Amino acid sequence: MTGNATHETPGPSEAPLRVGLVGYGLAGSVFHAPLIAATDGLVLDTVVTSDEERRAQARAEFPDVRFAASPQELWERADGPDALDLIVIASPNRTHVPIATAALEAGLPVVVDKPIAGTAAEARGLAALAEERGLLLSVFQNRRWDNDFRTLARLLADGELGEVQRFESRFERWRPQPKGGWRESGDPQEIGGLLYDLGSHVVDQALTLFGPAALVYAESDVRRPGAAADDDTFLAITHVNGVRSHLYVSATTAQRGPRFRVLGQTAGYVKYGLDPQEADLRAGVRPAADRPWGEEPEELWGRIGSGESPLTGGGIPVRTLPGDYPAYYAAVADALRGKGENPVNALQAAAALDVLEAARRSAREGVTVKLSDPADPESDSDPDSDSGPASDSVSAPSPASADTEEQPE
């Protein structure tokens, strides 16, 4: 491994940037590989997997792809003419930090699937290493490009709801039987469970929309017989600006609630159903310039209004903007060429991990956790707490009053 290699970004007129993808389970095969291949200026060059079945699967869709048995083979190419321009890490959560560290030390820009790390401190350590080396370090938070999230962001930017008071977000499934695998492992080293899986998405969305968290309360349960990791979790965030986010992630939901319910001073927005991009990618549908992508039928549009439930005809339909997962890798390509910003940086991911760590502590101890404000030098902090910058805690009110690869991204 070369410790001080410098990555040179190709200019706009040069060949496409070559990408090495570490891991070809669900995340690698369904999300990363197809989106990389669909992005102008990127080419899927090498897939790291030693599994022959997965190699055959990758070769069937990408005939020109090369293979490596371990990430080390990519680092050994870092100084030569066969060097890659970007490493994408879609391997199990426990491997994210060591592989990202090795890639950055080899002088290679990195995209890491969420969660970037198990702790906010580790995420900030990676951010510091990337800054020191002058390299891109981005986190794959594709749910920022969901159709409903894009639509809600536009409604908020246009002031359609007035000042928002409460944001409810649900990522719920009905999977009464555990599937097994590392994502449902109770081993803390695996960083499994829904809090860090789907919770990474709903927390990132809440912070992106409404800014930093001040208080975090959580309830986390293991509901299914034979399950070892949390499969039914609720988080309540009080944001610094006063907005309250109520976030639900569950594998045990027999009847799903709305994906979003957002309540403002003048109107509310309610949206049911999931963005169609994941289902399309799983079915083998790929983004292409000659056909629509991320569109949903009118009957699934959300509704905006006040004073009546959308289920009884209240409000008016709001056209859902198309989902746009391809925009993430397009932004990464631009950032590598010096033409745009990193779409999701590691410090943003660390802020979400602050919340997830506080939620884990809250659920374990039955308290509300106060997060330190990094902009406030007088803010308290508790360096001995496992929840990073989380500091003082108080008794919690009831929320009613107050390979990667078994699960989708």
Side-chain angles (χ1 to χ4, degrees), residues 305-322:
S306 58
E308 190 176 355
S309 168
L311 297 181
T312 57
I316 59 173
V318 176
R319 180 183 180 273
T320 306
L321 295 177

Side-chain angles (χ1 to χ4, degrees), residues 49-122:
T49 180
S50 58
D51 185 287
E52 289 301 327
E53 184 176 342
R54 291 181 177 181
R55 287 189 174 200
Q57 179 187 354
R59 192 179 293 110
E61 184 164 2
F62 310 105
D64 297 327
V65 74
R66 297 187 289 176
F67 296 98
S70 72
Q72 179 66 30
E73 295 181 35
L74 307 185
W75 320 152
E76 292 170 354
R77 293 161 48 182
D79 282 331
D82 202 26
L84 296 166
D85 301 295
L86 174 68
I87 302 299
V88 175
I89 301 171
S91 49
N93 290 349
R94 69 179 182 277
T95 69
H96 288 182
V97 171
I99 295 177
T101 300
L104 292 168
E105 289 178 345
L108 296 164
V110 177
V111 165
V112 188
D113 206 343
K114 61 80 201 165
I116 184 176
T119 69
E122 289 175 317

Side-chain angles (χ1 to χ4, degrees), residues 264-275:
Q265 285 187 326
T266 59
Y269 172 69
V270 179
K271 174 72 174 68
Y272 283 82
L274 288 175
D275 178 282

Side-chain angles (χ1 to χ4, degrees), residues 56 60 117 129 151 181 246 252 278 308 311 344 371-372 400:
L129 177 59
T151 303
H246 288 183
T252 65
E278 178 184 326
E308 190 176 355
L311 297 181
V344 185
L371 295 184
S372 300

Side-chain angles (χ1 to χ4, degrees), residues 265-408:
Q265 285 187 326
T266 59
Y269 172 69
V270 179
K271 174 72 174 68
Y272 283 82
L274 288 175
D275 178 282
Q277 294 176 92
E278 178 184 326
D280 284 345
L281 289 167
R282 282 175 172 266
V285 181
R286 300 297 183 240
D290 60 350
R291 60 175 176 265
W293 176 258
E295 296 274 6
E296 70 175 10
E298 184 174 349
E299 59 265 25
L300 293 180
W301 292 356
R303 299 178 76 89
I304 188 170
S306 58
E308 190 176 355
S309 168
L311 297 181
T312 57
I316 59 173
V318 176
R319 180 183 180 273
T320 306
L321 295 177
D324 195 9
Y325 291 170
Y328 172 80
Y329 272 110
V332 167
D334 283 346
L336 286 171
R337 295 189 185 280
K339 298 192 297 182
E341 297 296 321
N342 183 347
V344 185
N345 67 57
L347 293 180
Q348 293 170 336
L353 283 165
D354 285 333
V355 173
L356 295 178
E357 290 184 81
R360 184 175 60 186
R361 175 182 168 191
S362 172
R364 182 178 66 244
E365 300 179 8
V367 298
T368 294
V369 178
K370 179 181 178 181
L371 295 184
S372 300
D373 181 357
D376 179 5
E378 301 300 320
S379 173
D380 292 333
S381 63
D382 182 3
D384 296 326
S385 168
D386 68 354
S387 40
S391 60
D392 296 338
S393 59
V394 297
S395 297
S398 164
S401 60
D403 157 26
T404 353
E405 318 160 6
E406 289 87 347
Q407 303 289 349

Side-chain angles (χ1 to χ4, degrees), residues 201-222:
H201 286 309
V202 296
V203 168
D204 177 75
Q205 288 183 333
L207 298 184
T208 299
L209 290 173
F210 303 111
L215 299 171
V216 178
Y217 168 79
E219 301 167 358
S220 189
D221 293 291
V222 181

